[in-house]
Amino acid sequence: GLIFTSRAYLRESGWNILDTIVLILGLIDQSGVFKGNVGRIAKMARALRPLRLMMRVKAMRIILNTLIGTLGPVLYVAEFVLFNFLVFGLIGMGLYGGKTDYCTSPNVQFPDGKAACSGTFVDLNIDSGTSGVLFPSAWVIPPYHFDTFGKSMLTLFQMSMVGGTTDIINTAMSVTNLDQSPAKNYSTENFIFFMVFISINAILAMNIFLGFIFDGFNLLRGATEVDVEYNRFMRFLMTKGPTHIRFKPPTNHVSSLVRAFVSRKEFKNFSNTCVMVNFIFMLSDHADASPDYLYFVETQNLVFYFQLLAEVLLELVAWGPLGILDNNWRLLDSLVTFTSSIGYITGNELTNKVAKAFRLIRVIRIMKVIKPVRIILETLVACMPSLFNVLVLIFLVFSMFACLLSQLFGTTRNGNMIGYFHSANFKTWPNALHSCFQMVLMDEWVDLMNDASVAPPSCTIKFDNLTTVGYHGITYSWGDCGSEYAPILFVIFKLTCEAVMLNLVVGMILDNFTLLTDEIAEGEDEPEWGDAGPSSKQFAKIVDCYERVSGGGQYISLSGLRGLMMQLKRPLGYLTEDGKIIFEAKDRWEEGLIRAELNVILMEERKQKAESKQSRWKRILASVSVEQRFLNAVRFKDVIYSMLVWRKPSLIPLYVKAGRAQRIEKVLQVSDCLVILRFLAQVSGERMKAALQRQLRARAAFVRWTKEEPIQKRRMIYKESRKGCRAFPTNSARVELALLNQGFEVTNLHHECLAIAYKRVNTQTSLDLFREKSATDIVVLKYVDPLHSGIGLVTADFTECLWEGWSLRQWAKDSFLEPGTEKDDQEGVTPVSSFSWVKVDFAMPVHIYKGGKKQIVSKYQGTLKDIHSVAISLSQTEISLGGESSAGERHVLRLNVGSYEAPNANSEPRAKTTSNKMYDAIFEVVGYVSFDNEILDPSTGNHKFTEMPAEVLGNFGGQVQLT
């Protein structure tokens, strides 16, 4: 609502009332219903609109609210000053009322007076510009007098502003008697009155007035010790942060060496010495210099130019082109070098002067080496943001008064100060603004006020023949008179803009220099903060620790929070003075809240970034910037401030805690979410740990079995002798595994088929039979390793395997079918495809549920490493050393399956060793089954299989991953 509701627009803020008034007056002005003074007032009201702009800027709003907050105490001072003005005004009327009048004729001197002031006189002053002109004699009143109460108060105010004080005192010291001409120094004792007034009001009362204003700014630092320490800490946080590294420096060897060289203390001292010497020579420049001196100066300028050019080139190599922007001194040196180079190339004198001015600025580099000077410079730099806000506030107030004065006195006739040919006028807004600055700087503001107060008959009320009798010129709707209220407006302007606004600058600087005095007064560091905040040295240690953790820059990863707190000393961190780390339950709880608040800050930043649109150049700079190098990166000031509010709440003022109510609510919600997340992660981790332990125990049993089982022991010996380099596989073939249903009987056993097909059976013929039968039939396999021996029989379809790149290898009395290696080529065993092979991958069909439907997908189970053919005795107690079959022996064909790691893309593929003693599964060929309906599913045409249990599949797949 507008008025009557509890949260109505006009009830919410006084600024809303101001906006409404300005809007109404603007509508009146646009409507044109009211003319004359009412219409002029409507136009002048729009000058108040900039006040609303101040409230939209937070820093200016704080300053303005501080000023408004000081109005209460200032009113007491105003009452004291007003009482003094009343007393001295009445005394002045009694002492000097009617006695300051004088005759314009120089012929009427004391003891003559008003009675003798008649007739005419000729101006004989040749410097007046009216020499020889006949003037009438008149008994006149000076601009400043004590004849009336209003004029008496205005005269005293003029003296309190130290404007025209000498003229007023001289006039008072020359008074004689009523209606008598003044005489110089006739009443010298009258100066005592003015000295007492100036001492009490212009010095004492005004300084009390300014003291209350400064005290209001001290409220910004805090009314209590906690407020002071908090604001001091916040200043440290804003001004003493880590180095702002936006662009990553080059990492090549040359740049690293040059960067180490230019960072050395000796190099910096040499550079500062060159700057100082060049600065001294530039200061020695003078008029009418001899040619030899000019030649010497030009020579040294050229020498130091090349020195600076070499320095800039070294910095460019060390930090890169974008790295120049990270350091203001490097940027300044680059600008000086650029302008100097342009000046030397073009021979332009103006460019040389600009370059000389930049070289003079470089002397500040020497100032920063001296600690007291450096502290003062840092304080001045720290003042700049606040000072800028104050200057903007002053400019807005000046602009409002300039608009008001331009509306009121834009057409006022020329006078002693007002006019186009004078230094001040109010014809346009820029001229009015310039005149405002003149008045603040004591440039005859009383004469301006008198010119703006001009009234008939010295002016024309309105340029028309109806208002002004005898006027026959062009008719206008305005005249050239001033206003009788001009003194009131000028007094308000002087009080507002001079007594208040300009002293804001002094107050702001003094407020910032308090930090300087605090640093100078610091003694040795306390072991811990205690009830106070950190000293500048302690805060510098915090910054150094942060830079070590972040690797340089403003940002660290959110995951690095604990590492930072482990290195920070208490109270922000966990490290004690004796180097011990104390991490208790309270510390864990506080760290969780800090992490939660940083997560809230990240969410707010991402939301704001998503809502705002970045310009093209900002996106380009962000892409090359390395300041934010992490996904969840948090800034220095956010991290340290969050640590402060949760680890050291005694330093947080009550008004800050009250303002954080909404933030704390979000932080607690995020903290609860993080606790739940950690709990779930802990439960999941315990489950993964248990599963991993089961897999490791099974793996250990598998390794023990491979070391004890006779065939595997024999194969490991062979593999140890076959260390070589395998070529990168050119292709892969897929073999589908499927479980046979229980009760299925394999009729074509491998050893029976081998006896039928070959008269002379040996390990090589066993491999030949496998390659021949696998090309046409389904191979039935069984697991022989202890991990999978309980699974049962499986079928494998090798019909797509052409065994390209696989070679047959004889070792002792065993035979191996394995991928070819370079060693095979050296020994004359040439594979089918030289140094390339087709790997054979095993896959098992499993059931999954997707979209509520059951589907069958293939899951990778491993890669075939080699096929081992060996003859064993039927008693299985020893391995036959004979190559051919004999009574009581059986030929066994084993398939060793494991994981194949492809070579790194950046390395040579032939550099991978084939030695791998750890395998995931070992199959033994049982027999073969033809493609008939006995093992085919009529509905799908695929092999019949039984779904593998989840725990078996998980164990199987897990072993593959562990290899």
Side-chain angles (χ1 to χ4, degrees):
L2 183 64
I3 301 176
F4 301 105
T5 60
S6 59
R7 300 185 62 183
Y9 178 76
L10 295 180
R11 291 185 177 183
E12 186 176 2
S13 172
W15 298 103
N16 296 340
I17 299 175
L18 175 64
D19 281 346
T20 305
I21 294 174
V22 172
L23 176 62
I24 294 173
L25 294 177
L27 293 175
I28 294 174
D29 178 36
Q30 293 296 326
S31 64
V33 175
F34 297 96
K35 303 292 184 180
N37 292 332
V38 177
R40 180 176 291 185
I41 293 173
K43 287 184 178 180
M44 290 187 298
R46 288 183 295 179
L48 301 175
R49 182 60 184 172
L51 288 175
R52 185 64 180 176
L53 178 62
M54 302 177 192
M55 298 304 296
R56 297 184 183 275
V57 182
K58 182 179 180 181
M60 295 177 62
R61 184 171 66 246
I62 293 175
I63 296 173
L64 199 58
N65 290 336
T66 303
L67 284 177
I68 295 174
T70 59
L71 290 180
V74 165
L75 287 177
Y76 296 109
V77 183
E79 292 176 3
F80 171 75
V81 173
L82 181 60
F83 176 77
N84 286 332
F85 270 57
L86 290 173
V87 172
F88 280 94
L90 294 174
I91 295 175
M93 289 177 63
L95 293 176
Y96 314 114
K99 297 180 181 181
T100 57
D101 302 347
Y102 65 96
C103 184
T104 57
S105 174
N107 301 322
V108 181
Q109 299 293 332
F110 180 78
D112 296 333
K114 186 176 182 179
C117 187
S118 61
T120 60
F121 69 95
V122 178
D123 186 6
L124 300 178
N125 187 2
I126 60 175
D127 297 328
S128 64
T130 59
S131 178
V133 178
L134 183 66
F135 289 95
S137 299
W139 190 255
V140 296
I141 303 174
Y144 29 82
H145 56 83
F146 295 88
D147 294 354
T148 63
F149 178 74
K151 281 295 183 180
S152 178
M153 297 290 286
L154 185 60
T155 301
L156 293 176
F157 178 78
Q158 180 181 344
M159 295 190 64
S160 66
M161 292 286 105
V162 198
T165 305
T166 305
D167 295 337
I168 297 174
I169 294 177
N170 286 333
T171 300
M173 292 172 63
S174 300
V175 298
T176 54
N177 296 312
L178 192 65
D179 293 335
Q180 275 191 326
S181 297
K184 187 174 182 179
N185 295 331
Y186 183 84
S187 305
T188 56
E189 68 278 1
N190 289 338
F191 86 95
I192 299 176
F193 169 81
F194 295 98
M195 293 303 297
V196 173
F197 173 80
I198 292 175
S199 300
I200 295 177
N201 292 279
I203 297 177
L204 178 61
M206 187 56 66
N207 284 313
I208 293 175
F209 176 77
L210 298 179
F212 276 105
I213 294 178
F214 293 159
D215 187 64
F217 272 94
N218 287 332
L219 290 177
L220 289 176
R221 300 180 61 227
T224 64
E225 188 65 27
V226 174
D227 298 339
V228 173
E229 293 296 338
Y230 173 78
N231 287 305
R232 187 165 173 267
F233 183 89
M234 294 305 295
R235 291 193 184 190
F236 283 150
L237 194 61
M238 296 301 174
T239 59
K240 298 181 178 294
T243 305
H244 187 67
I245 301 177
R246 292 175 295 174
F247 306 104
K248 185 178 180 180
T251 56
N252 60 78
H253 183 64
V254 175
S255 296
S256 301
L257 291 177
V258 175
R259 189 160 55 249
F261 174 72
V262 298
S263 300
R264 296 183 62 179
K265 184 178 180 180
E266 294 80 1
F267 179 83
K268 294 180 180 179
N269 292 336
F270 172 75
S271 177
N272 292 333
T273 303
C274 293
V275 172
M276 191 63 191
V277 173
N278 191 18
F279 177 71
I280 293 174
F281 276 111
M282 285 190 289
L283 290 180
S284 65
D285 193 9
H286 57 278
D288 300 328
S290 64
D292 294 339
Y293 174 79
L294 293 177
Y295 176 76
F296 179 76
V297 171
E298 289 298 327
T299 302
Q300 66 88 25
N301 281 335
L302 188 62
V303 170
F304 286 117
Y305 162 73
F306 282 110
Q307 178 269 332
L308 179 60
L309 179 62
E311 183 177 341
V312 170
L313 292 177
L314 289 175
E315 297 280 359
L316 187 64
V317 174
W319 304 100
L322 294 176
I324 299 295
L325 303 176
D326 271 338
N327 187 282
N328 294 330
W329 297 112
R330 292 198 291 264
L331 183 60
L332 176 62
D333 291 344
S334 301
L335 290 176
V336 173
T337 306
F338 178 76
T339 53
S340 301
S341 301
I342 296 297
Y344 280 116
I345 294 173
T346 61
N348 191 324
E349 184 177 356
L350 178 61
T351 307
N352 287 329
K353 290 182 178 180
V354 173
K356 183 177 180 180
F358 275 111
R359 286 200 297 269
L360 290 173
I361 298 175
R362 295 184 70 214
V363 76
I364 301 178
R365 292 179 54 181
I366 302 175
M367 297 181 183
K368 71 173 186 176
V369 178
I370 307 171
K371 182 179 179 181
V373 178
R374 185 182 71 249
I375 294 176
I376 294 175
L377 289 176
E378 290 176 353
T379 305
L380 287 176
V381 173
C383 291
M384 291 303 172
S386 301
L387 190 59
F388 175 77
N389 292 323
V390 174
L391 292 178
V392 171
L393 177 61
I394 294 174
F395 175 77
L396 291 176
V397 174
F398 275 40
S399 298
M400 290 189 298
F401 276 99
C403 291
L404 191 60
L405 294 172
S406 180
Q407 289 288 334
L408 291 174
F409 309 114
T411 60
T412 302
R413 62 172 299 170
N414 297 342
N416 293 331
M417 288 293 293
I418 294 179
Y420 281 114
F421 300 103
H422 296 276
S423 59
N425 66 80
F426 302 102
K427 306 295 182 182
T428 60
W429 178 82
N431 291 341
L433 186 63
H434 178 262
S435 301
C436 289
F437 280 102
Q438 283 186 266
M439 288 189 291
V440 169
L441 297 177
M442 307 292 181
D443 190 6
E444 302 298 338
W445 69 273
V446 178
D447 293 337
L448 272 173
M449 180 181 65
N450 294 332
D451 290 346
S453 304
V454 63
S458 300
C459 61
T460 303
I461 297 177
K462 190 175 183 181
F463 293 110
D464 59 9
N465 53 13
L466 296 178
T467 306
T468 305
V469 179
Y471 179 76
H472 302 289
I474 301 175
T475 301
Y476 295 102
S477 61
W478 42 267
D480 60 356
C481 290
S483 173
E484 60 181 331
Y485 301 107
I488 299 177
L489 179 61
F490 276 76
V491 168
I492 294 174
F493 172 79
K494 290 290 288 184
L495 287 175
T496 304
C497 295
E498 182 178 333
V500 178
M501 289 298 164
L502 286 187
N503 287 290
L504 283 180
V505 179
V506 181
M508 187 62 66
I509 293 176
L510 291 178
D511 182 53
N512 281 276
F513 267 86
T514 304
L515 183 63
L516 170 63
T517 58
D518 290 344
E519 287 193 38
I520 295 176
E522 285 179 359
E524 296 294 329
D525 288 345
E526 296 292 336
E528 292 188 2
W529 295 7
D531 295 333
S535 64
S536 60
K537 295 180 181 179
Q538 289 173 330
F539 195 86
K541 292 180 181 179
I542 294 174
V543 175
D544 292 340
C545 181
Y546 188 92
E547 287 183 335
R548 290 196 305 269
V549 175
S550 65
Q554 293 276 342
Y555 289 86
I556 65 169
S557 172
L558 190 57
S559 60
L561 176 63
R562 175 167 294 183
L564 174 63
M565 298 182 71
M566 288 292 182
Q567 298 189 35
L568 283 176
K569 290 186 178 180
R570 287 183 171 269
L572 296 187
Y574 306 137
L575 194 64
T576 60
E577 287 296 327
D578 54 359
K580 296 180 180 179
I581 295 177
I582 299 179
F583 187 69
E584 301 173 347
K586 179 176 177 292
D587 299 319
R588 186 186 300 276
W589 174 76
E590 290 173 347
E591 180 185 334
L593 292 174
I594 295 172
R595 187 181 297 274
E597 179 153 1
L598 294 176
N599 275 279
V600 172
I601 294 173
L602 283 176
M603 289 189 292
E604 292 175 350
E605 290 180 350
R606 289 172 182 173
K607 182 180 179 180
Q608 183 179 3
K609 186 177 181 180
E611 294 175 352
S612 62
K613 294 183 179 179
Q614 287 187 340
S615 64
R616 177 183 178 185
W617 291 108
K618 284 185 178 180
R619 291 196 300 268
I620 293 175
L621 289 176
S623 63
V624 298
S625 174
V626 299
E627 178 64 22
Q628 187 170 344
R629 296 170 293 179
F630 314 102
L631 178 62
N632 296 322
V634 286
R635 287 189 299 268
F636 167 78
K637 63 178 184 180
D638 295 331
V639 174
I640 302 302
Y641 183 76
S642 300
M643 289 182 180
L644 178 72
V645 296
W646 294 111
R647 298 278 292 169
K648 190 70 173 177
S650 59
L651 279 183
I652 309 301
L654 293 177
Y655 70 90
V656 176
K657 294 179 180 179
R660 284 173 46 84
Q662 294 182 353
R663 168 65 65 83
I664 291 177
E665 184 178 354
K666 294 181 181 179
V667 170
L668 294 178
Q669 292 176 357
V670 175
S671 177
D672 293 339
C673 294
L674 291 177
V675 170
I676 296 173
L677 181 62
R678 284 196 297 268
F679 172 74
L680 294 178
Q682 183 178 1
V683 172
S684 177
E686 291 177 353
R687 291 181 179 178
M688 292 180 63
K689 178 182 177 181
L692 183 61
Q693 289 176 344
R694 289 195 300 268
Q695 293 175 5
L696 290 176
R697 286 194 294 267
R699 188 67 187 176
F702 179 82
V703 172
R704 288 194 300 269
W705 178 82
T706 55
K707 292 180 179 180
E708 297 173 357
E709 206 269 340
I711 298 179
Q712 288 301 312
K713 288 171 62 176
R714 187 174 181 81
R715 179 180 175 279
M716 290 173 65
I717 296 173
Y718 165 73
K719 284 297 182 181
E720 194 66 32
S721 66
R722 289 287 298 161
K723 291 183 178 179
C725 293
R726 179 179 300 162
F728 189 78
T730 56
N731 203 349
S732 64
R734 195 174 188 84
V735 175
E736 294 289 344
L737 299 177
L739 288 176
L740 283 176
N741 292 325
Q742 295 181 358
F744 183 84
E745 183 179 356
V746 182
T747 56
N748 299 326
L749 299 177
H750 174 72
H751 64 278
E752 294 178 353
C753 295
L754 184 62
I756 296 173
Y758 296 96
K759 294 182 179 179
R760 300 181 62 182
V761 178
N762 54 34
T763 55
Q764 183 174 351
T765 56
S766 178
L767 283 173
D768 292 339
L769 177 66
F770 171 78
R771 296 178 63 177
E772 178 184 349
K773 299 290 287 183
S774 64
T776 57
D777 296 342
I778 297 297
V779 180
V780 179
L781 306 174
K782 72 173 181 179
Y783 290 97
V784 294
D785 61 273
L787 288 180
H788 312 94
S789 57
I791 295 179
L793 300 179
V794 296
T795 61
D797 185 2
F798 288 90
T799 55
E800 296 182 1
C801 297
L802 302 179
W803 307 105
E804 297 178 1
W806 292 69
S807 60
L808 185 62
R809 177 76 181 177
Q810 290 290 134
W811 178 79
K813 301 303 180 179
D814 296 349
S815 297
F816 290 88
L817 183 64
E818 60 182 2
T821 64
E822 292 181 1
K823 200 166 185 179
D824 293 331
D825 183 62
Q826 296 171 4
E827 297 179 2
V829 181
T830 305
V832 176
S833 178
S834 181
F835 307 133
S836 63
W837 57 287
V838 177
K839 67 186 183 76
V840 180
D841 295 332
F842 287 82
M844 177 72 74
V846 294
H847 286 152
I848 64 171
Y849 289 89
K850 187 175 182 180
K853 298 181 179 180
K854 188 176 182 180
Q855 299 180 5
I856 300 176
V857 296
S858 296
K859 181 179 179 181
Y860 172 76
Q861 302 296 320
T863 299
L864 182 62
K865 292 290 189 174
D866 57 64
I867 303 176
H868 183 194
S869 177
V870 63
I872 62 174
S873 63
L874 294 179
S875 62
Q876 298 185 2
T877 56
E878 61 179 16
I879 300 176
S880 173
L881 298 180
E884 299 182 0
S885 178
S886 60
E889 289 182 348
R890 180 171 61 87
H891 283 269
V892 174
L893 203 61
R894 286 190 176 182
L895 281 65
N896 298 286
V897 178
S899 298
Y900 174 77
E901 294 183 2
N904 194 320
N906 298 326
S907 63
E908 292 294 333
R910 300 166 68 85
K912 289 301 270 188
T913 178
T914 59
S915 176
N916 190 351
K917 302 177 183 178
M918 308 296 287
Y919 289 87
D920 298 319
I922 301 174
F923 294 99
E924 184 175 310
V925 177
V926 177
Y928 309 96
V929 180
S930 302
F931 281 94
D932 54 24
N933 291 331
E934 292 185 17
I935 61 170
L936 292 180
D937 190 341
S939 61
T940 62
N942 298 326
H943 298 12
K944 294 180 181 178
F945 67 91
T946 301
E947 183 179 1
M948 189 175 289
E951 59 274 10
V952 177
L953 278 177
N955 191 16
F956 187 89
Q959 294 303 320
V960 174
Q961 296 173 3
L962 284 174
T963 301

